[in-house]
Structure formats: C-alpha cells, structure tokens
Amino acid sequence: MQKITNETILKIRKPTPRYPVLKEIEKRFSPRFFSDEMVSEMDLNSIFEAAQWAPSAHNHQPWYFYYTKKGTNSYTNLFSTLNTYNQSWAHTAPLLILACAIITNEKGENPFALYDLGASVISLILQAQSLGYFARQMGLFDKEKVKRIFKLEKNLEPFIIIALGKIGDYTSAPGTIVELELDPRPRKTDVAKELIDK
Ligand SMILES: Cc1cc2nc3c(=O)[nH]c(=O)nc-3n(C[C@H](O)[C@H](O)[C@H](O)COP(=O)(O)O)c2cc1C
C-alpha cells in the first residue's frame, strides 16, 4: 500500500462545516494513531479543568476521571479491558483516561449523570484539541472488569475510555489502521429546524 500522509488523512477526516464554528470543532476528529509524546502535566491540568467547568444538573458535577500513562501497570490493566478492535489501535495512545459517572449521591439515583458526563467529556476534548492534542473515545470495554481490577466505589460507573495524545505520523502507521482512517465521517445536514406549533 502506498504511504498515506497526515495531510491526506486530515483532508478526509477533518470536519467540513458549512457555517463558521469554533476552530477546535473544525479541527477535531478521532484518530486511531498517536505519537509517543506524553501529554504534559500543565496541559493535563488544563484538560481536566475544562471538564470541571462543564454545566451539570443541579451543579452536581457527576463525573470523575482517572488517567494513566503508557508504560505503567495501570495503563496495561486498563488497556486489557478494551475489546480486541480497540486494542488494535489504542496501544499507541500515550494516555488513557477512564471517564466515570457518579450515578448515585445522597439524594439517590442521578438521572442526569450520563448526560452531564458527556458534557464534561466534550469540554475536556475540545480543551485538549485547543492544546494540539487529539482524542478518541471508546465505549467498547469490559466495565465489570474495570470495576473489579481498580476496585471502584459502588457509585462510580465507568462509561468511556478516552485515548489522548498528539496525532501520529501516519506514514508509519500499519496499513490496517490507515485503511480505517480513509473512511470519511460525513454528518447529517438536517440537524435542526425551527419548532412550529401544529
Ligand atoms: C459514546 C461513544 C463511544 C465510542 N466508542 C468507540 C469505540 O469503542 N471504539 C472506537 O474506535 N471509537 C469509538 N467512538 C468514536 C466514534 O466512532 C467517532 O466519534 C465517530 O465515528 C465520529 O467520528 P469523529 O469523532 O472522528 O468525528 C465512540 C464515540 C462515542 C461518542
């Protein structure tokens, strides 16, 4: 297979908004190939700070994040919970983030927990994007295994694992991964209309 450059991948995968949007939204897509460069501590602070300032129902902030760096035991353990497909590409991510929803609190079950977690995750991802990183979320992992090996508290529901890092040089990516990236991710054009009484 001919070597595919990042320029080609970006041309296919980068959003093509019809109207002006934030530059982070215009740049964001979810790659499957990362460089070895570790996310700096300063940037990590900003990334989680952005998550913290997301809106949430009753300001309950029902989210908690664990992160782990490549080369550590916890990274290997968290990685081991991913399904085979996710393992085929996520091993290049220098950082994995486990995003958990706090599903119950002193008032009982929080029906907004997952919605609020999603809001904090996109806040985190757009902050990361503004700092030059990319992220890909993974919902396909063994949640029970995560709870077991990390002995998570009962009110924490692991929901998404996020692969985060600088985008890799796709000329050195395996052909199978490049193949996946050549698949564009178009969006529905009909996303909203004015609500009219019937
Ligand atoms: C809740 C959720 C779960 C996802 N799970 C996976 C996953 O397990 N593996 C994967 O490779 N991508 C996963 N993704 C990434 C989506 O496939 C990706 O965001 C979508 O195809 C749109 O592409 P884009 O993010 O590049 O715009 C997930 C995304 C979300 C929001």
Side-chain angles (χ1 to χ4, degrees), residues 13-15 28-32 82-83 85-86 89 121 125 135-141 159-161 180-181 184-187:
R13 294 295 310 283
K14 252 179 61 169
R28 192 207 65 77
F29 79 99
S30 308
R32 298 178 186 86
L82 295 172
N83 77 350
Y85 153 68
N86 282 329
W89 61 265
V121 166
I125 288 177
R136 189 174 180 97
Q137 300 173 70
M138 294 171 279
L140 300 174
F141 66 100
F159 195 71
I160 279 284
I161 296 177
L180 292 170
E181 303 295 33
R185 285 281 184 271
R187 294 309 203 256

Side-chain angles (χ1 to χ4, degrees), residues 12 24-25 45 57 68 78-79 82 98 109 176 180 185 190 193:
I12 295 169
E24 289 75 19
I25 291 177
N45 288 340
T68 177
L78 187 58
F79 182 83
L82 295 172
L98 174 66
E109 207 163 295
T176 46
L180 292 170
R185 285 281 184 271
D190 186 15
K193 67 175 162 195

